[in-house]
Amino acid sequence: MSTTTSPTEICRQLDTPGDLGSAFDELLATRQEPPSLLALGEPTHGIAAFPLLRNELLCHLVERGYRSIVLETDVLAASVVDNYVGGGATEIDDVLERGFSHGFGRVPGNRELVEWLRGYNTGRPARDRVRFYGFDAPVEFSGAPSPRHALSVVLEYLPAALHPDSAGDIDGLLGDDTAWTNPDAMRDPAASIGDSERARALRLVADDLVSVLRRAAPVLAPADPVAYDDALAYAHTARGLLRYHAAMAHTASDRIATLLGLRAAMMAENLLAIVSKEKGRGPSLVFAHNAHLQQMQSSMPDGDEGAIWPSAGALVGFALGERYMFVAADAGPHPRPGTLQGTLAEATARRAMFPAKPLHAALPRSLGTGEPIVRGHIPLSPADVERADAIVFVADTDGHQHQYW
Protein backbone atom coordinates (compact mmCIF):
# COMPACT_ATOMS: atom_id res chain seq x y z
CA MET A 1 0.00 0.00 0.00
CA SER A 2 1.38 3.42 -0.95
CA THR A 3 1.84 5.95 1.86
CA THR A 4 2.61 8.85 -0.47
CA THR A 5 0.43 11.89 0.23
CA SER A 6 -1.28 13.33 -2.85
CA PRO A 7 -1.65 17.07 -3.60
CA THR A 8 -5.41 16.65 -3.23
CA GLU A 9 -4.97 15.52 0.38
CA ILE A 10 -2.80 18.43 1.47
CA CYS A 11 -4.51 21.36 -0.27
CA ARG A 12 -6.99 23.80 1.21
CA GLN A 13 -9.91 24.66 -1.07
CA LEU A 14 -10.51 28.41 -1.40
CA ASP A 15 -14.14 28.37 -2.50
CA THR A 16 -15.28 31.27 -0.31
CA PRO A 17 -13.71 34.36 1.28
CA GLY A 18 -13.92 32.55 4.60
CA ASP A 19 -11.95 29.62 3.20
CA LEU A 20 -9.32 32.01 1.87
CA GLY A 21 -8.98 33.80 5.20
CA SER A 22 -8.73 30.59 7.20
CA ALA A 23 -6.10 29.13 4.87
CA PHE A 24 -3.91 32.22 5.15
CA ASP A 25 -4.41 32.40 8.93
CA GLU A 26 -3.11 28.84 9.18
CA LEU A 27 -0.18 29.61 6.90
CA LEU A 28 0.80 32.71 8.88
CA ALA A 29 0.53 30.76 12.12
CA THR A 30 3.35 28.46 10.97
CA ARG A 31 5.84 31.26 11.64
CA GLN A 32 7.09 31.86 15.17
CA GLU A 33 7.52 35.52 14.23
CA PRO A 34 4.73 37.00 12.07
CA PRO A 35 6.02 38.21 8.70
CA SER A 36 6.40 41.95 8.18
CA LEU A 37 5.90 41.43 4.47
CA LEU A 38 3.50 38.89 2.99
CA ALA A 39 4.16 38.56 -0.75
CA LEU A 40 1.48 37.25 -3.11
CA GLY A 41 2.64 36.58 -6.65
CA GLU A 42 0.91 36.21 -9.99
CA PRO A 43 2.30 34.36 -13.01
CA THR A 44 1.49 37.16 -15.46
CA HIS A 45 -0.31 40.52 -15.54
CA GLY A 46 -3.79 41.14 -16.85
CA ILE A 47 -5.66 37.96 -15.83
CA ALA A 48 -8.47 39.18 -13.57
CA ALA A 49 -8.45 36.19 -11.22
CA PHE A 50 -5.18 37.21 -9.54
CA PRO A 51 -5.84 40.88 -8.61
CA LEU A 52 -9.34 39.87 -7.51
CA LEU A 53 -7.80 37.20 -5.27
CA ARG A 54 -5.46 39.91 -3.93
CA ASN A 55 -8.38 42.22 -3.16
CA GLU A 56 -10.23 39.46 -1.34
CA LEU A 57 -7.14 38.60 0.70
CA LEU A 58 -6.46 42.24 1.58
CA CYS A 59 -9.95 42.63 3.06
CA HIS A 60 -9.18 39.72 5.37
CA LEU A 61 -5.67 40.84 6.26
CA VAL A 62 -6.81 44.34 7.19
CA GLU A 63 -8.96 42.70 9.87
CA ARG A 64 -5.75 41.05 11.10
CA GLY A 65 -3.86 44.33 11.43
CA TYR A 66 -2.31 44.82 7.98
CA ARG A 67 -2.17 48.53 7.17
CA SER A 68 -0.63 48.79 3.70
CA ILE A 69 -0.82 47.32 0.22
CA VAL A 70 2.21 47.44 -2.10
CA LEU A 71 1.96 46.90 -5.84
CA GLU A 72 4.37 46.47 -8.74
CA THR A 73 4.01 50.06 -9.89
CA ASP A 74 6.18 53.18 -9.95
CA VAL A 75 7.18 54.10 -6.38
CA LEU A 76 6.77 57.82 -7.16
CA ALA A 77 3.52 57.63 -9.15
CA ALA A 78 1.89 55.61 -6.36
CA SER A 79 1.70 58.72 -4.18
CA VAL A 80 -1.19 59.86 -6.43
CA VAL A 81 -3.15 56.77 -5.39
CA ASP A 82 -2.16 57.05 -1.74
CA ASN A 83 -3.35 60.65 -1.65
CA TYR A 84 -6.68 59.65 -3.17
CA VAL A 85 -7.33 56.73 -0.83
CA GLY A 86 -6.53 59.09 2.04
CA GLY A 87 -9.33 61.43 0.96
CA GLY A 88 -7.79 63.49 -1.87
CA ALA A 89 -10.10 65.22 -4.35
CA THR A 90 -8.61 63.81 -7.58
CA GLU A 91 -10.96 62.05 -10.00
CA ILE A 92 -10.71 58.26 -9.93
CA ASP A 93 -9.98 57.98 -13.67
CA ASP A 94 -7.08 60.39 -13.29
CA VAL A 95 -5.80 58.41 -10.31
CA LEU A 96 -5.83 55.19 -12.31
CA GLU A 97 -4.04 56.86 -15.23
CA ARG A 98 -1.33 58.73 -13.31
CA GLY A 99 -1.00 56.63 -10.17
CA PHE A 100 -0.20 53.33 -11.90
CA SER A 101 2.76 52.82 -14.22
CA HIS A 102 2.91 50.31 -17.11
CA GLY A 103 -0.80 50.90 -17.81
CA PHE A 104 -1.73 48.83 -14.75
CA GLY A 105 -4.57 51.21 -13.90
CA ARG A 106 -6.49 49.42 -16.65
CA VAL A 107 -5.99 45.96 -15.13
CA PRO A 108 -9.24 44.51 -13.72
CA GLY A 109 -9.34 44.68 -9.95
CA ASN A 110 -7.28 47.85 -9.52
CA ARG A 111 -10.21 50.27 -9.73
CA GLU A 112 -12.06 48.12 -7.21
CA LEU A 113 -9.00 48.09 -4.95
CA VAL A 114 -8.61 51.87 -4.99
CA GLU A 115 -12.29 52.48 -4.34
CA TRP A 116 -12.34 49.95 -1.48
CA LEU A 117 -9.30 51.58 0.14
CA ARG A 118 -10.86 55.04 -0.07
CA GLY A 119 -14.10 53.77 1.43
CA TYR A 120 -12.31 51.93 4.23
CA ASN A 121 -10.14 54.92 5.12
CA THR A 122 -13.01 57.43 5.22
CA GLY A 123 -13.44 58.76 8.75
CA ARG A 124 -10.47 56.86 10.17
CA PRO A 125 -7.45 58.51 11.80
CA ALA A 126 -4.21 58.44 9.80
CA ARG A 127 -2.68 55.74 11.99
CA ASP A 128 -5.49 53.31 11.12
CA ARG A 129 -5.75 53.97 7.38
CA VAL A 130 -4.55 51.45 4.83
CA ARG A 131 -1.83 53.10 2.77
CA PHE A 132 -1.04 52.41 -0.88
CA TYR A 133 2.56 52.07 -2.08
CA GLY A 134 4.38 51.23 -5.27
CA PHE A 135 7.77 49.54 -5.16
CA ASP A 136 8.89 49.48 -8.79
CA ALA A 137 11.55 51.74 -10.27
CA PRO A 138 10.25 54.35 -12.74
CA VAL A 139 11.74 52.55 -15.74
CA GLU A 140 10.22 50.89 -18.79
CA PHE A 141 11.50 48.41 -21.37
CA SER A 142 12.04 51.40 -23.67
CA GLY A 143 14.42 53.17 -21.31
CA ALA A 144 14.59 55.33 -18.22
CA PRO A 145 13.51 58.91 -17.53
CA SER A 146 15.65 61.90 -16.67
CA PRO A 147 16.50 62.21 -12.96
CA ARG A 148 15.43 65.87 -13.12
CA HIS A 149 12.03 65.47 -11.45
CA ALA A 150 13.31 63.30 -8.61
CA LEU A 151 16.25 65.59 -7.87
CA SER A 152 14.12 68.73 -8.08
CA VAL A 153 11.56 67.41 -5.60
CA VAL A 154 14.28 66.71 -3.04
CA LEU A 155 15.91 70.11 -3.49
CA GLU A 156 12.53 71.85 -3.15
CA TYR A 157 11.88 69.92 0.06
CA LEU A 158 15.25 70.62 1.69
CA PRO A 159 15.88 74.02 3.32
CA ALA A 160 18.35 76.00 1.20
CA ALA A 161 20.94 75.82 3.99
CA LEU A 162 21.03 72.02 3.58
CA HIS A 163 21.57 71.99 -0.18
CA PRO A 164 24.89 70.24 -0.89
CA ASP A 165 27.56 72.19 -2.77
CA SER A 166 27.53 69.51 -5.47
CA ALA A 167 24.01 70.62 -6.51
CA GLY A 168 25.01 74.20 -7.28
CA ASP A 169 24.78 73.85 -11.08
CA ILE A 170 22.20 71.09 -11.26
CA ASP A 171 20.36 72.53 -14.29
CA GLY A 172 23.60 72.69 -16.23
CA LEU A 173 24.43 69.13 -15.27
CA LEU A 174 21.00 67.86 -16.29
CA GLY A 175 20.89 69.61 -19.64
CA ASP A 176 18.15 68.68 -22.11
CA ASP A 177 15.92 65.82 -20.95
CA THR A 178 15.83 64.34 -24.46
CA ALA A 179 19.42 63.20 -23.95
CA TRP A 180 18.25 61.07 -21.02
CA THR A 181 15.13 59.68 -22.68
CA ASN A 182 16.72 58.75 -26.02
CA PRO A 183 14.99 55.42 -26.89
CA ASP A 184 18.08 54.19 -28.74
CA ALA A 185 20.04 54.10 -25.49
CA MET A 186 18.39 50.90 -24.23
CA ARG A 187 20.00 48.82 -26.99
CA ASP A 188 22.94 51.01 -28.03
CA PRO A 189 25.39 51.98 -25.24
CA ALA A 190 26.87 54.72 -27.44
CA ALA A 191 23.49 56.51 -27.41
CA SER A 192 23.41 56.68 -23.61
CA ILE A 193 24.38 59.75 -21.60
CA GLY A 194 24.90 57.62 -18.49
CA ASP A 195 28.71 57.56 -18.50
CA SER A 196 29.23 61.23 -19.34
CA GLU A 197 31.11 63.55 -17.00
CA ARG A 198 27.93 65.39 -16.03
CA ALA A 199 26.08 62.12 -15.35
CA ARG A 200 28.88 61.09 -13.00
CA ALA A 201 28.65 64.49 -11.30
CA LEU A 202 24.90 64.00 -10.84
CA ARG A 203 25.51 60.66 -9.16
CA LEU A 204 27.51 62.56 -6.55
CA VAL A 205 24.61 65.01 -6.15
CA ALA A 206 22.18 62.15 -5.57
CA ASP A 207 24.51 60.49 -3.05
CA ASP A 208 24.91 63.80 -1.23
CA LEU A 209 21.14 64.34 -1.08
CA VAL A 210 20.56 60.91 0.44
CA SER A 211 23.29 61.62 2.97
CA VAL A 212 21.86 65.03 3.88
CA LEU A 213 18.38 63.60 4.36
CA ARG A 214 19.71 60.84 6.60
CA ARG A 215 21.73 63.24 8.73
CA ALA A 216 18.85 65.72 9.05
CA ALA A 217 16.22 63.07 9.83
CA PRO A 218 15.91 63.92 13.57
CA VAL A 219 14.96 67.50 12.62
CA LEU A 220 13.02 67.06 9.38
CA ALA A 221 11.09 63.83 9.89
CA PRO A 222 9.13 64.72 13.06
CA ALA A 223 7.76 67.91 11.45
CA ASP A 224 6.10 66.01 8.59
CA PRO A 225 6.88 62.28 8.45
CA VAL A 226 5.08 61.70 5.14
CA ALA A 227 6.88 64.58 3.38
CA TYR A 228 10.21 63.36 4.72
CA ASP A 229 9.59 59.78 3.60
CA ASP A 230 8.55 61.01 0.15
CA ALA A 231 11.70 63.13 -0.18
CA LEU A 232 13.88 60.18 0.80
CA ALA A 233 12.09 57.98 -1.76
CA TYR A 234 12.75 60.59 -4.46
CA ALA A 235 16.42 60.82 -3.47
CA HIS A 236 16.86 57.04 -3.57
CA THR A 237 15.07 56.92 -6.91
CA ALA A 238 17.30 59.62 -8.39
CA ARG A 239 20.36 57.70 -7.28
CA GLY A 240 18.97 54.46 -8.70
CA LEU A 241 18.07 56.09 -12.02
CA LEU A 242 21.58 57.47 -12.41
CA ARG A 243 23.05 54.03 -11.74
CA TYR A 244 20.66 52.63 -14.32
CA HIS A 245 21.70 55.21 -16.91
CA ALA A 246 25.35 54.43 -16.18
CA ALA A 247 24.71 50.74 -16.84
CA MET A 248 22.95 51.61 -20.11
CA ALA A 249 26.23 53.15 -21.28
CA HIS A 250 28.25 49.99 -20.60
CA THR A 251 29.25 47.64 -23.41
CA ALA A 252 29.67 44.41 -21.38
CA SER A 253 27.94 41.26 -22.63
CA ASP A 254 25.82 41.07 -19.48
CA ARG A 255 24.59 44.66 -19.86
CA ILE A 256 20.86 43.81 -19.97
CA ALA A 257 21.22 41.49 -16.98
CA THR A 258 22.91 44.32 -15.09
CA LEU A 259 20.00 46.63 -15.89
CA LEU A 260 17.50 44.03 -14.67
CA GLY A 261 19.59 43.51 -11.54
CA LEU A 262 19.61 47.24 -10.82
CA ARG A 263 15.83 47.33 -11.18
CA ALA A 264 15.56 44.41 -8.74
CA ALA A 265 17.85 46.21 -6.29
CA MET A 266 15.71 49.37 -6.48
CA MET A 267 12.59 47.27 -5.93
CA ALA A 268 14.14 45.64 -2.86
CA GLU A 269 15.31 48.97 -1.46
CA ASN A 270 11.80 50.36 -1.82
CA LEU A 271 10.21 47.32 -0.16
CA LEU A 272 12.58 47.47 2.79
CA ALA A 273 11.91 51.20 3.17
CA ILE A 274 8.16 50.50 3.28
CA VAL A 275 8.65 47.80 5.92
CA SER A 276 10.64 50.28 7.99
CA LYS A 277 8.00 53.00 7.65
CA GLU A 278 5.14 50.64 8.50
CA LYS A 279 6.73 48.75 11.39
CA GLY A 280 4.82 50.76 13.97
CA ARG A 281 1.45 50.27 12.23
CA GLY A 282 1.31 46.73 10.93
CA PRO A 283 2.50 44.25 8.28
CA SER A 284 2.24 44.86 4.53
CA LEU A 285 0.82 42.83 1.65
CA VAL A 286 2.85 43.09 -1.56
CA PHE A 287 1.48 41.91 -4.91
CA ALA A 288 3.58 41.51 -8.06
CA HIS A 289 4.75 39.03 -10.68
CA ASN A 290 6.07 35.81 -9.16
CA ALA A 291 9.43 36.49 -10.82
CA HIS A 292 9.98 39.61 -8.70
CA LEU A 293 8.91 38.10 -5.38
CA GLN A 294 10.31 34.56 -5.39
CA GLN A 295 13.63 34.06 -3.67
CA MET A 296 15.84 33.00 -6.53
CA GLN A 297 18.58 33.99 -8.94
CA SER A 298 17.18 35.20 -12.26
CA SER A 299 19.05 34.59 -15.50
CA MET A 300 19.02 35.57 -19.14
CA PRO A 301 17.30 33.08 -21.46
CA ASP A 302 20.38 32.75 -23.67
CA GLY A 303 22.46 31.65 -20.70
CA ASP A 304 25.28 34.20 -21.13
CA GLU A 305 28.01 33.59 -18.60
CA GLY A 306 27.59 35.88 -15.59
CA ALA A 307 24.16 37.07 -16.75
CA ILE A 308 22.42 36.33 -13.44
CA TRP A 309 21.06 38.56 -10.73
CA PRO A 310 19.08 38.11 -7.49
CA SER A 311 15.38 38.93 -7.65
CA ALA A 312 13.88 41.58 -5.41
CA GLY A 313 12.37 38.75 -3.35
CA ALA A 314 15.79 37.17 -2.86
CA LEU A 315 17.23 40.47 -1.64
CA VAL A 316 14.32 41.21 0.67
CA GLY A 317 14.17 37.64 1.92
CA PHE A 318 17.87 37.78 2.78
CA ALA A 319 17.33 40.99 4.74
CA LEU A 320 14.12 40.01 6.54
CA GLY A 321 14.58 36.27 6.99
CA GLU A 322 11.49 34.73 8.62
CA ARG A 323 9.73 38.09 8.40
CA TYR A 324 9.30 37.58 4.64
CA MET A 325 6.71 35.10 3.35
CA PHE A 326 6.04 34.35 -0.31
CA VAL A 327 2.95 32.72 -1.81
CA ALA A 328 3.24 31.99 -5.54
CA ALA A 329 0.20 31.68 -7.79
CA ASP A 330 -0.47 30.08 -11.15
CA ALA A 331 -3.32 29.04 -13.43
CA GLY A 332 -3.86 26.69 -16.34
CA PRO A 333 -7.25 26.55 -18.06
CA HIS A 334 -6.32 23.40 -20.01
CA PRO A 335 -3.13 22.02 -18.44
CA ARG A 336 -1.42 18.98 -19.87
CA PRO A 337 -1.13 15.78 -17.81
CA GLY A 338 2.34 15.17 -16.47
CA THR A 339 2.89 18.85 -15.64
CA LEU A 340 2.78 20.71 -12.34
CA GLN A 341 -0.23 22.67 -13.58
CA GLY A 342 -2.03 19.48 -14.59
CA THR A 343 -1.40 17.92 -11.17
CA LEU A 344 -2.64 20.99 -9.28
CA ALA A 345 -5.72 21.27 -11.51
CA GLU A 346 -6.69 17.70 -10.58
CA ALA A 347 -6.93 18.80 -6.94
CA THR A 348 -9.41 21.66 -7.33
CA ALA A 349 -12.38 22.73 -9.40
CA ARG A 350 -11.96 26.41 -8.49
CA ARG A 351 -8.85 27.40 -6.55
CA ALA A 352 -6.77 25.91 -3.77
CA MET A 353 -3.73 26.59 -1.59
CA PHE A 354 -0.95 24.00 -1.27
CA PRO A 355 1.70 24.26 1.48
CA ALA A 356 4.98 24.21 -0.40
CA LYS A 357 7.05 21.65 1.51
CA PRO A 358 4.39 18.90 1.60
CA LEU A 359 3.50 19.65 -2.01
CA HIS A 360 7.08 19.31 -3.17
CA ALA A 361 7.40 16.02 -1.32
CA ALA A 362 4.20 14.73 -2.97
CA LEU A 363 5.21 15.61 -6.55
CA PRO A 364 6.61 12.92 -8.88
CA ARG A 365 10.23 13.63 -9.77
CA SER A 366 9.39 13.23 -13.45
CA LEU A 367 6.84 16.06 -13.39
CA GLY A 368 7.21 18.72 -16.08
CA THR A 369 6.18 22.36 -16.46
CA GLY A 370 3.17 23.59 -18.43
CA GLU A 371 3.29 25.91 -21.41
CA PRO A 372 2.61 29.68 -21.15
CA ILE A 373 -1.05 30.49 -21.66
CA VAL A 374 -0.73 34.22 -22.49
CA ARG A 375 1.88 36.91 -23.03
CA GLY A 376 4.19 37.28 -20.04
CA HIS A 377 3.00 34.09 -18.35
CA ILE A 378 5.84 32.23 -16.66
CA PRO A 379 4.41 28.88 -15.53
CA LEU A 380 5.62 27.65 -12.16
CA SER A 381 8.02 24.72 -12.33
CA PRO A 382 8.41 21.96 -9.73
CA ALA A 383 11.65 23.67 -8.65
CA ASP A 384 9.74 26.91 -8.01
CA VAL A 385 7.63 25.12 -5.41
CA GLU A 386 10.70 24.84 -3.17
CA ARG A 387 11.22 28.61 -3.36
CA ALA A 388 7.78 29.48 -1.97
CA ASP A 389 5.97 29.05 1.31
CA ALA A 390 2.74 28.06 -0.44
CA ILE A 391 1.21 27.80 -3.91
CA VAL A 392 -2.24 29.04 -4.91
CA PHE A 393 -3.59 27.48 -8.09
CA VAL A 394 -6.61 28.96 -9.87
CA ALA A 395 -8.47 26.46 -12.03
CA ASP A 396 -11.67 28.33 -12.85
CA THR A 397 -10.26 31.02 -15.14
CA ASP A 398 -10.33 31.07 -18.91
CA GLY A 399 -6.91 32.71 -18.87
CA HIS A 400 -8.14 35.75 -20.78
CA GLN A 401 -5.58 38.56 -20.57
CA HIS A 402 -7.04 42.06 -20.50
CA GLN A 403 -4.94 44.44 -22.59
CA TYR A 404 -3.40 47.18 -20.46
CA TRP A 405 -0.39 48.18 -22.59
Coordinates of all heavy atoms in Angstrom, one line a residue, residues 44 46-50 52 108 330-335 349-350 372-375 377 393-402:
T44 N 1.5 36.2 -14.4 CA 1.5 37.2 -15.5 C 0.6 38.3 -15.1 O -0.1 38.2 -14.0 CB 1.0 36.5 -16.8 OG1 1.2 37.5 -17.9 CG2 -0.5 36.2 -16.7
G46 N -2.6 41.0 -16.0 CA -3.8 41.1 -16.8 C -4.9 40.1 -16.8 O -5.9 40.2 -17.4
I47 N -4.6 39.0 -16.0 CA -5.7 38.0 -15.8 C -6.4 38.3 -14.6 O -5.8 38.4 -13.5 CB -5.1 36.5 -15.7 CG1 -4.4 36.2 -17.1 CG2 -6.1 35.5 -15.3 CD1 -3.8 34.8 -17.1
A48 N -7.7 38.6 -14.7 CA -8.5 39.2 -13.6 C -8.5 38.4 -12.3 O -8.5 38.9 -11.2 CB -9.9 39.4 -14.0
A49 N -8.3 37.0 -12.4 CA -8.5 36.2 -11.2 C -7.4 36.5 -10.1 O -7.7 36.4 -8.9 CB -8.3 34.7 -11.6
F50 N -6.2 37.0 -10.5 CA -5.2 37.2 -9.5 C -5.4 38.5 -8.8 O -5.3 38.5 -7.5 CB -3.8 37.1 -10.2 CG -3.6 35.7 -10.8 CD1 -3.6 35.6 -12.2 CD2 -3.4 34.6 -10.0 CE1 -3.4 34.3 -12.7 CE2 -3.3 33.4 -10.5 CZ -3.2 33.2 -11.9
L52 N -8.1 40.0 -8.3 CA -9.3 39.9 -7.5 C -9.1 39.0 -6.3 O -9.6 39.3 -5.2 CB -10.4 39.3 -8.4 CG -10.9 40.1 -9.5 CD1 -12.0 39.4 -10.4 CD2 -11.5 41.5 -9.0
P108 N -8.1 44.8 -14.6 CA -9.2 44.5 -13.7 C -8.8 44.3 -12.3 O -7.8 43.6 -12.0 CB -9.8 43.2 -14.3 CG -9.4 43.2 -15.7 CD -8.0 43.9 -15.7
D330 N -0.5 30.5 -9.7 CA -0.5 30.1 -11.1 C -1.9 29.7 -11.6 O -2.8 29.5 -10.7 CB 0.5 28.9 -11.4 CG 1.0 28.8 -12.8 OD1 0.5 29.6 -13.7 OD2 1.9 28.0 -13.1
A331 N -2.0 29.5 -12.9 CA -3.3 29.0 -13.4 C -3.0 28.2 -14.7 O -2.0 28.4 -15.3 CB -4.2 30.2 -13.7
G332 N -4.0 27.4 -15.1 CA -3.9 26.7 -16.3 C -5.2 26.2 -16.8 O -5.7 25.2 -16.3
P333 N -5.9 27.0 -17.7 CA -7.2 26.6 -18.1 C -7.3 25.1 -18.6 O -8.3 24.4 -18.4 CB -7.6 27.6 -19.1 CG -6.7 28.8 -18.8 CD -5.5 28.2 -18.3
H334 N -6.3 24.7 -19.4 CA -6.3 23.4 -20.0 C -4.9 22.8 -19.9 O -4.2 22.6 -20.9 CB -6.7 23.5 -21.5 CG -8.0 24.2 -21.7 ND1 -9.3 23.7 -21.3 CD2 -8.3 25.4 -22.2 CE1 -10.2 24.5 -21.6 NE2 -9.7 25.6 -22.1
P335 N -4.5 22.5 -18.6 CA -3.1 22.0 -18.4 C -2.9 20.6 -18.9 O -3.9 19.8 -18.9 CB -3.0 22.1 -16.9 CG -4.4 21.9 -16.4 CD -5.2 22.6 -17.4
A349 N -11.5 22.3 -8.3 CA -12.4 22.7 -9.4 C -12.4 24.2 -9.5 O -12.8 24.8 -10.6 CB -13.8 22.2 -9.2
R350 N -12.0 25.0 -8.5 CA -12.0 26.4 -8.5 C -10.6 26.9 -8.2 O -9.8 27.3 -9.1 CB -13.0 27.0 -7.5 CG -13.1 28.5 -7.7 CD -14.0 29.2 -6.6 NE -14.0 30.6 -6.9 CZ -14.2 31.5 -6.0 NH1 -14.5 31.2 -4.7 NH2 -14.2 32.8 -6.3
P372 N 3.2 28.4 -21.4 CA 2.6 29.7 -21.1 C 1.2 29.8 -21.8 O 1.0 29.3 -22.9 CB 3.6 30.7 -21.8 CG 4.9 29.9 -21.8 CD 4.6 28.5 -22.1
I373 N 0.3 30.4 -21.1 CA -1.0 30.5 -21.7 C -1.3 31.9 -22.3 O -2.2 32.0 -23.2 CB -2.1 30.2 -20.6 CG1 -1.9 31.1 -19.4 CG2 -2.0 28.7 -20.1 CD1 -3.0 31.0 -18.3
V374 N -0.6 32.9 -21.9 CA -0.7 34.2 -22.5 C 0.6 34.9 -22.5 O 1.6 34.4 -21.9 CB -1.8 35.1 -21.7 CG1 -3.2 34.5 -21.8 CG2 -1.4 35.2 -20.3
R375 N 0.7 36.1 -23.0 CA 1.9 36.9 -23.0 C 2.3 37.2 -21.6 O 1.5 37.5 -20.7 CB 1.6 38.2 -23.7 CG 2.7 39.3 -23.5 CD 2.3 40.6 -24.2 NE 3.2 41.7 -23.9 CZ 3.2 42.9 -24.5 NH1 2.3 43.1 -25.5 NH2 4.0 43.8 -24.1
H377 N 3.2 35.1 -19.3 CA 3.0 34.1 -18.4 C 4.2 33.2 -18.2 O 4.8 32.7 -19.2 CB 1.8 33.2 -18.8 CG 1.5 32.1 -17.9 ND1 1.2 30.8 -18.3 CD2 1.6 32.0 -16.5 CE1 1.0 30.0 -17.3 NE2 1.2 30.7 -16.2
F393 N -3.3 27.8 -6.7 CA -3.6 27.5 -8.1 C -5.0 27.8 -8.4 O -6.0 27.4 -7.6 CB -3.3 26.0 -8.4 CG -3.5 25.7 -9.8 CD1 -2.4 25.9 -10.7 CD2 -4.6 25.1 -10.3 CE1 -2.5 25.6 -12.1 CE2 -4.8 24.8 -11.7 CZ -3.7 25.1 -12.6
V394 N -5.3 28.6 -9.5 CA -6.6 29.0 -9.9 C -7.0 28.1 -11.1 O -6.4 28.3 -12.1 CB -6.7 30.5 -10.2 CG1 -8.1 30.9 -10.6 CG2 -6.2 31.3 -9.0
A395 N -8.0 27.3 -10.9 CA -8.5 26.5 -12.0 C -9.6 27.1 -12.8 O -9.8 26.8 -14.0 CB -8.9 25.1 -11.5
D396 N -10.5 27.9 -12.2 CA -11.7 28.3 -12.9 C -11.5 29.7 -13.5 O -12.2 30.6 -13.3 CB -12.9 28.4 -11.9 CG -12.7 29.4 -10.8 OD1 -11.5 29.8 -10.6 OD2 -13.7 29.8 -10.2
T397 N -10.5 29.8 -14.3 CA -10.3 31.0 -15.1 C -10.0 30.6 -16.6 O -9.4 29.5 -16.8 CB -9.1 31.8 -14.7 OG1 -8.8 32.9 -15.6 CG2 -7.8 31.0 -14.6
D398 N -10.6 31.4 -17.5 CA -10.3 31.1 -18.9 C -9.0 31.6 -19.4 O -8.6 31.3 -20.6 CB -11.4 31.7 -19.8 CG -11.5 33.2 -19.7 OD1 -10.7 33.8 -19.0 OD2 -12.5 33.7 -20.2
G399 N -8.2 32.2 -18.5 CA -6.9 32.7 -18.9 C -6.9 33.9 -19.8 O -5.9 34.3 -20.3
H400 N -8.1 34.6 -19.9 CA -8.1 35.8 -20.8 C -7.3 36.9 -20.2 O -7.4 37.2 -19.0 CB -9.6 36.2 -20.9 CG -9.7 37.6 -21.6 ND1 -9.4 37.7 -23.0 CD2 -10.1 38.8 -21.2 CE1 -9.6 39.0 -23.3 NE2 -10.0 39.6 -22.3
Q401 N -6.5 37.5 -21.0 CA -5.6 38.6 -20.6 C -6.1 39.9 -21.1 O -6.2 40.1 -22.3 CB -4.2 38.4 -21.1 CG -3.2 39.4 -20.6 CD -1.7 39.1 -21.0 OE1 -1.5 38.7 -22.2 NE2 -0.8 39.1 -20.1
H402 N -6.5 40.7 -20.1 CA -7.0 42.1 -20.5 C -5.9 42.9 -20.9 O -4.8 43.0 -20.3 CB -7.7 42.7 -19.3 CG -9.0 41.9 -18.9 ND1 -10.2 42.3 -19.2 CD2 -9.1 40.8 -18.1 CE1 -11.1 41.5 -18.7 NE2 -10.5 40.5 -18.0

